[in-house]
């Protein structure tokens, strides 16, 4: 798709990451178009989930994985403090610390014998967190958007994503059985009473006649 724009009116909001980016004509992975070059300045026009519609200086537009675009730092306002160049790391750090503490408590209860495996599974169900710290650098996993964020203490930027844009949602984890399976009732023919496929007779055990009799 193409959106005319005069060069004088073009003000980039992001740049393409150093690895470049695949692009699509529409927010649909079945409609690929030319890939974007590394460090290409672009303007983010709109967002649709993981998808981002971008505009280039020559007027060409496409859809990309908006999570991977690198924000362009804004100049400081006259007479004021510089704006934050990236996402604030503190909320995600707090969320990760809370998830880690929940897991630590549950693991401690299990290791000490104060709780069993079922209680441990219940206490940790749905927990997802990730953190790597190397000196001043930190990598944090953001579950809501399915991406790893990199930070240096002052801000966070997208480092990598789990899956490409438009990927289906992760399947829900199956709920564990709390009291074991219900015992199956026996049918009148001694079968286990399990449901049979529609249109089929129940399976029966037939004893062959002795000595070839009928």
């Amino acid at each position: 798709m193409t959106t005319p724009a005069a060069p004088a009116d073009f003000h980039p909001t992001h740049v393409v990451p150093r690895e470049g980016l695949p692009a699509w004509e529409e927010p649909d992975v079945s409609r690929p178009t030319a890939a974007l070059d590394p460090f290409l300045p672009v303007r983010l026009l709109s967002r649709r989930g993981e998808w981002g519609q971008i505009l280039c200086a020559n007027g060409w537009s496409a859809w990309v994985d908006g999570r991977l675009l690198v924000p362009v730092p804004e100049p400081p306002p006259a007479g004021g403090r510089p704006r934050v160049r990236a996402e604030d790391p503190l909320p995600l750090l707090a969320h990760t610390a809370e998830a880690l503490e929940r897991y630590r408590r549950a693991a401690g209860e299990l290791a000490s014998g104060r709780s069993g495996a079922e209680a441990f599974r219940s206490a940790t169900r749905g927990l997802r967190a990730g953190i790597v710290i190397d000196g001043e650098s930190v990598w944090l996993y953001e579950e809501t958007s399915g991406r790893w964020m990199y930070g240096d203490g002052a801000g966070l930027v997208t480092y990598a994503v789990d899956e490409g844009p438009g990927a289906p949602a992760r399947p829900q984890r199956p709920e564990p059985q709390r009291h074991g399976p219900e015992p199956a009732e026996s049918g009148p023919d001694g079968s286990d009473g399990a449901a049979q496929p529609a249109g089929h007779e129940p399976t029966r055990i037939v004893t062959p006649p002795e000595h070839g009799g009928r």
Side-chain angles (χ1 to χ4, degrees):
M1 119 186 6
T2 302
T3 305
D9 298 329
F10 180 76
H11 301 288
T13 60
H14 296 75
V15 296
V16 174
R18 68 174 65 249
E19 299 83 8
L21 270 184
W24 293 266
E25 294 180 1
E26 298 288 343
D28 181 352
V29 292
S30 66
R31 302 190 61 182
T33 184
L36 301 180
D37 294 332
F39 305 114
L40 178 71
V42 298
R43 181 173 183 81
L44 182 62
L45 299 177
S46 63
R47 291 294 296 265
R48 188 180 301 179
E50 302 97 345
W51 294 97
Q53 185 185 23
I54 56 93
L55 175 68
C56 300
N58 63 0
W60 182 75
S61 69
W63 290 83
V64 300
D65 189 337
R67 298 169 295 179
L68 295 174
L69 293 172
V70 181
V72 173
E74 293 286 343
R81 298 177 59 187
R83 299 180 184 177
V84 177
R85 65 172 180 83
E87 298 184 40
D88 183 0
L90 297 183
L92 187 51
L93 281 167
H95 174 77
T96 303
E98 179 183 353
L100 180 60
E101 177 59 20
R102 282 181 56 189
Y103 191 93
R104 187 198 65 79
R105 288 199 305 265
E109 294 284 330
L110 179 64
S112 65
R114 292 192 297 270
S115 68
E118 178 59 30
F120 177 72
R121 285 193 293 268
S122 178
T124 57
R125 186 176 298 120
L127 279 181
R128 289 178 66 88
I131 182 169
V132 177
I133 299 177
D134 183 12
E136 65 180 14
S137 299
V138 64
W139 290 262
L140 294 167
Y141 182 71
E142 185 182 60
E143 179 186 359
T144 55
S145 60
R147 59 180 175 167
W148 280 90
M149 309 289 289
Y150 169 77
D152 58 3
L156 293 175
V157 294
T158 300
Y159 179 77
V161 297
D162 282 350
E163 300 180 74
R170 297 186 187 89
Q172 296 293 326
R173 296 180 181 179
E175 292 289 334
Q177 296 181 348
R178 295 184 178 275
H179 304 291
E182 294 291 336
E185 297 181 1
S186 298
D189 59 351
S191 64
D192 61 1
Q196 299 293 332
H200 293 273
E201 291 294 329
T203 302
R204 299 176 183 275
I205 298 177
V206 177
T207 303
E210 296 181 2
H211 310 296
R214 296 186 180 180

